[in-house]
Amino acid sequence: MLMRAARAGRIVAAQVASMPHVAAPPQLSSLEDLGIADILTWLGVSAEEPLDVLSCSTDTRMRVLGVRAHVLGASLPPNTVLELKQVQHQGHKASDGTREPCDPLHWNPNTRVFVDGPPLALVRVAHRLEQLVAHMRMDDLEAQLRLIALACEFCGSYAREPFDPRGGPCHYDEPGRCDRLISPRELQTALRDLRGVSGLARARRAAAYALDFSGSPMETYVDLGLFLPPRLAGLSLRMPLLNQQIEVPKEVRHRLRHTSLRPDMHWPNQSLLGEYFGDDEHASKRARVEDKNRMQDYATAGYAPVLLMFDDVRNATALNRTAQRLARMLMERGVSGELYRVRRTLREEGFAAKQRVLVKTLLPPVRRYEGA
């Protein structure tokens, strides 16, 4: 939760910490002695909901009411630990340009606070999901898809709401920016070098499919549904670049309305791109004009744009229809056999059941415009 809050940077900030080993926590008589009352209150720490604290050995475990102690005696690879930093501002800019109140967390400045970075967080979630699978409270495929989606969030330009990650409002980085704490390659490297943590094997498998620069939960759902391998309920379309700058020929740059063109997905060698337009975000006249100008710029740059909306991905049937449309266009641009491979996947025994799990697990709740 603190890592998600730090990505938004409104109540707390964070930076990657260089720590070769887990530090020994202080030996205290109570949690209050830590001097982080704001953090404990925000997290809702209590005897029933204890604070998880990592120690370097059994001898240094913190034995205090309200603490659940864990031991990791192994060395820590880079990017596995974050140090929290206090923020001083008293508000942030809302989507409509106004200032919203904000109440940053504060603690004793002499106390350094470290939390799990993306690799450790992914492993901890993997361990919890494995327990659910072992007790038959969750399907194995659902557990793996949830973990892959979390890895995509860590490596993307958004962060879900800490206390309501499924339905709460997301934090999105500024357009054209990605303030993520880790890249897919860094995440995979850290997990490869990490040792002695339960859930590591599942986390490594999930990190192998972390999307580079995913821009939203809906993009993550669409991209995983289109590009994951069939054993993970995906249609295994040729992987595009995600949210990356289009290389525009010099001779047409002066004709563009935008200095930067970063579609949700694009295939440079095939001059094909896909863009997802959320119903609510693109309902205003101003947004429609911007969308029109961007589509014109894509065409000027030599790309065939495919516009996707909620109805194009709302269920497995719609997602399959969209995948076949993209596959057909890729074949028209020189990618052999793409459409036939997608259709062959759709006919595989058991694939439809897997796809229903993917849609149920990853499709985010959508706020649509009035009358949609």
Side-chain angles (χ1 to χ4, degrees):
M1 288 193 293
L2 280 165
M3 182 168 55
R4 279 175 164 150
R7 275 287 279 115
R10 295 168 187 165
I11 66 169
V12 70
Q15 65 183 36
V16 176
S18 177
M19 292 180 62
H21 298 280
V22 176
Q27 296 300 311
L28 306 172
S29 59
S30 70
L31 274 179
E32 287 72 21
D33 295 338
L34 283 174
I36 56 171
D38 268 15
I39 295 177
L40 298 177
T41 300
W42 185 80
L43 290 173
V45 172
S46 65
E48 295 73 28
E49 296 290 338
L51 179 71
D52 290 287
V53 176
L54 197 61
S55 302
C56 56
S57 68
T58 54
D59 294 336
T60 62
R61 294 174 64 178
M62 184 183 288
R63 293 174 172 83
V64 173
L65 183 65
V67 166
R68 183 191 293 119
H70 306 269
V71 175
L72 178 63
S75 61
L76 292 172
N79 300 302
T80 53
V81 176
L82 301 177
E83 181 172 3
L84 297 187
K85 299 293 183 181
Q86 301 186 52
V87 296
Q88 302 302 321
H89 63 274
Q90 295 300 315
H92 71 278
K93 189 173 289 187
S95 57
D96 60 1
T98 61
R99 304 295 294 186
E100 293 182 354
C102 186
D103 189 12
L105 300 177
H106 295 294
W107 59 90
N108 187 329
N110 295 321
T111 301
R112 300 180 70 187
V113 182
F114 299 95
V115 298
D116 291 348
L120 275 177
L122 195 70
V123 169
R124 290 189 187 280
V125 174
H127 177 58
R128 289 200 293 269
L129 290 172
E130 283 186 337
Q131 292 177 319
L132 293 175
V133 172
H135 290 90
M136 293 183 290
R137 294 172 58 191
M138 183 178 291
D139 178 82
D140 185 79
L141 177 60
E142 179 181 348
Q144 198 62 16
L145 289 172
R146 285 179 181 270
L147 204 60
I148 293 171
L150 181 60
C152 294
E153 177 186 343
F154 290 160
C155 299
S157 57
Y158 68 96
R160 292 178 181 265
E161 205 282 325
F163 291 101
D164 185 12
R166 176 70 177 170
C170 283
H171 160 79
Y172 298 100
D173 294 337
E174 294 293 328
R177 290 189 56 178
C178 184
D179 299 324
R180 64 190 184 183
L181 296 166
I182 201 165
S183 69
R185 183 181 295 275
E186 291 169 337
L187 179 62
Q188 293 156 15
T189 299
L191 291 171
R192 181 198 65 200
D193 297 337
L194 192 60
R195 297 288 186 273
V197 190
S198 299
L200 192 52
R202 183 180 287 273
R204 287 170 176 165
R205 293 197 300 271
Y209 298 103
L211 298 169
D212 206 6
F213 297 114
S214 183
S216 70
M218 182 60 81
E219 284 185 31
T220 293
Y221 156 69
V222 173
D223 293 342
L224 294 180
L226 294 177
F227 309 124
L228 279 177
R231 68 178 181 277
L232 291 170
L235 291 162
S236 197
L237 272 177
R238 173 168 293 208
M239 191 70 189
L241 299 178
L242 304 179
N243 294 298
Q244 301 212 23
Q245 178 70 37
I246 284 180
E247 295 295 330
V248 180
K250 291 182 179 179
E251 57 270 21
V252 301
R253 287 177 188 169
H254 68 283
R255 295 163 49 194
L256 302 180
R257 296 173 182 262
H258 298 84
T259 57
S260 176
L261 293 174
R262 296 176 179 270
D264 294 341
M265 62 182 80
H266 78 281
W267 293 263
N269 294 335
Q270 288 73 41
S271 298
L272 176 67
L273 64 82
E275 191 91 293
Y276 179 82
F277 285 176
D279 288 343
D280 188 56
E281 297 89 340
H282 295 262
S284 68
K285 179 179 179 180
R286 179 179 179 181
R288 292 197 299 272
V289 170
E290 165 62 18
D291 293 341
K292 181 263 296 180
N293 291 339
R294 189 167 293 275
M295 290 298 109
Q296 289 179 344
D297 278 356
Y298 288 148
T300 301
Y303 276 78
V306 177
L307 172 61
L308 303 177
M309 299 186 75
F310 179 72
D311 289 336
D312 297 300
V313 297
R314 64 184 302 170
N315 52 34
T317 300
L319 191 64
N320 294 338
R321 190 165 51 241
T322 293
Q324 292 179 77
R325 178 186 178 192
L326 289 169
R328 186 179 294 109
M329 296 180 74
L330 286 169
M331 284 187 63
E332 291 169 352
R333 289 158 176 78
V335 180
S336 63
E338 196 78 353
L339 178 59
Y340 307 123
R341 188 167 51 78
V342 169
R343 287 177 172 171
R344 187 165 59 248
T345 297
L346 293 173
R347 292 194 299 268
E348 289 180 1
E349 184 178 357
F351 181 77
K354 291 180 181 179
Q355 213 175 30
R356 285 194 292 271
V357 174
L358 181 141
V359 174
K360 180 193 74 170
T361 303
L362 299 183
L363 178 64
V366 174
R367 184 180 134 198
R368 311 196 68 190
Y369 59 84
E370 187 176 347

